[in-house]
Amino acid sequence: REQPEETPQPAPRRIFQERQNITGLPLYFQGYLSVRHSRHQEFRMYWTELRGTMLFFYDDKKAPIYSQKLDISALTSATNVHPDENGSAQFILMLSNGELELKASDCEHGKEWKGFILTVTKLSVPPDESLLPGQLRRMHEVLEKEKKRRITLNDCSSASLDRKSPPSSTSTTMPVCFYAVSRQEAIEMLEKNPSCGNLILRPGRDNKNYAITIRHELEAPCLKHYKVMSKGTSYVIELERQVTLPSLQGVVNYFVTQTRGKLKPYVIQTC
């Protein structure tokens, strides 16, 4: 396989916007990485984005939807491996569920990847004397953005708990099939990747409530959308006869059980 260009170039603006909508996280760093999980024998190359404390792996630089993702918030260490015969920089991420070996096309790019990953997970810029002033400045900028993001996230979580009292009456964890996408983007996701599932939970048009988008394979593909209204500590599905449930996960489970499993939550495979 040919070596990718050494200097990472941003994806086209349209692709960037689609990824931003799907992930709902700020982009901190991007570029090609070869990835090898502890369970696998060979490296596989991905266009990779660091967003928040998540690594998103794309099969193609212009693919709007990631093929795998990895939460690195539980990172315990990042260890350098000596460059291989091609001069590629390698380092190993030690996570609570195993290790991940990453390889960048050159040492400079590898140092940046490791530096940004440590910055967002440890909330401090690593004291690496080999980093250039420009690289350190960008890492400090990312550190401030990530700190602000987490403060905002915590504030929103606290406000949500205050509104939904008692906390035990509702789940604060979003279902795995929730994506911060529009109606049209949800349709495209279901059409392009039917093997991932056929039910997506997404924000409503008013950004205060929610909606369910499903794609049935009957005689012909059938798309439907259902409003899910937030009322107090409950969620109401707008059907001919309203259904009230205590959580968004309960909403998803309702559609699955009522169709006897014909509807499956849309979940993209992860590492």
Side-chain angles (χ1 to χ4, degrees):
R1 181 179 288 187
E2 296 181 1
Q3 290 291 323
E5 63 267 28
E6 293 186 357
T7 304
Q9 300 296 320
R13 183 172 179 80
R14 179 182 63 83
I15 302 298
F16 174 84
Q17 291 294 342
E18 289 188 48
R19 291 175 180 172
Q20 187 77 36
N21 290 333
I22 291 171
T23 63
L25 291 167
L27 174 63
Y28 293 148
F29 196 62
Q30 61 185 339
Y32 284 104
L33 275 181
S34 293
V35 181
R36 181 167 65 188
H37 199 274
S38 56
R39 297 191 301 268
H40 302 141
Q41 296 296 318
E42 297 181 354
F43 279 98
R44 181 174 177 182
M45 186 177 293
Y46 295 95
W47 177 260
T48 309
E49 293 184 343
L50 174 62
R51 292 178 176 273
T53 57
M54 300 289 294
L55 287 174
F56 292 92
F57 302 105
Y58 298 85
D59 291 328
D60 183 87
K61 183 177 179 179
K62 296 183 179 180
I65 301 174
Y66 56 86
S67 59
Q68 300 182 43
K69 65 180 178 179
L70 179 69
D71 186 352
I72 56 173
S73 60
L75 178 71
T76 58
S77 66
T79 307
N80 285 333
V81 178
H82 293 298
D84 62 16
E85 62 275 11
N86 297 319
S88 298
Q90 293 179 238
F91 54 100
I92 297 174
L93 302 184
M94 295 300 300
L95 302 159
S96 58
N97 60 345
E99 67 178 46
L100 190 75
E101 193 168 355
L102 304 175
K103 184 191 295 185
S105 58
D106 62 83
C107 289
E108 197 64 31
H109 199 199
K111 285 190 297 185
E112 287 187 289
W113 269 112
K114 181 183 173 185
F116 279 105
I117 287 172
L118 286 172
T119 296
V120 300
T121 55
K122 304 299 183 183
L123 286 184
S124 63
V125 175
D128 189 339
E129 295 179 357
S130 66
L131 291 170
L132 299 174
Q135 295 169 336
L136 288 170
R137 184 183 68 253
R138 287 163 54 205
M139 288 177 195
H140 279 289
E141 291 172 354
V142 163
L143 176 60
E144 291 307 309
K145 289 180 181 178
E146 181 62 11
K147 284 181 177 178
K148 290 179 181 178
R149 184 184 77 87
R150 295 193 196 184
I151 289 172
T152 302
L153 197 62
N154 289 336
D155 288 347
C156 289
S157 297
S158 298
S160 177
L161 288 173
D162 289 341
R163 289 195 305 269
K164 298 177 180 180
S165 180
S168 59
S169 67
T170 183
S171 170
T172 57
T173 303
M174 295 301 287
V176 293
C177 59
F178 173 79
Y179 297 90
V181 296
S182 66
R183 173 189 283 215
Q184 185 58 39
E185 287 165 341
I187 292 172
E188 291 174 1
M189 290 168 67
L190 294 176
E191 290 177 340
K192 290 179 181 178
N193 298 282
S195 62
C196 293
N198 54 1
L199 182 153
I200 285 178
L201 174 68
R202 58 181 174 81
R205 289 182 177 178
D206 58 4
N207 288 321
K208 296 179 181 178
N209 296 292
Y210 298 89
I212 290 281
T213 294
I214 65 171
R215 185 175 187 268
H216 259 308
E217 288 286 352
L218 302 173
E219 295 180 358
C222 176
L223 286 159
K224 290 186 178 181
H225 310 274
Y226 299 91
K227 291 182 180 179
V228 180
M229 310 298 288
S230 176
K231 292 189 177 181
T233 61
S234 303
Y235 297 89
V236 178
I237 308 173
E238 295 288 344
L239 302 171
E240 288 185 9
R241 183 176 180 181
Q242 289 187 344
V243 175
T244 302
L245 295 157
S247 68
L248 288 172
Q249 186 61 56
V251 170
V252 173
N253 294 344
Y254 176 83
F255 281 91
V256 173
T257 56
Q258 289 297 307
T259 60
R260 297 182 180 179
K262 291 181 180 178
L263 288 179
K264 302 182 186 303
Y266 185 95
V267 180
I268 298 174
Q269 296 299 313
T270 60
C271 292

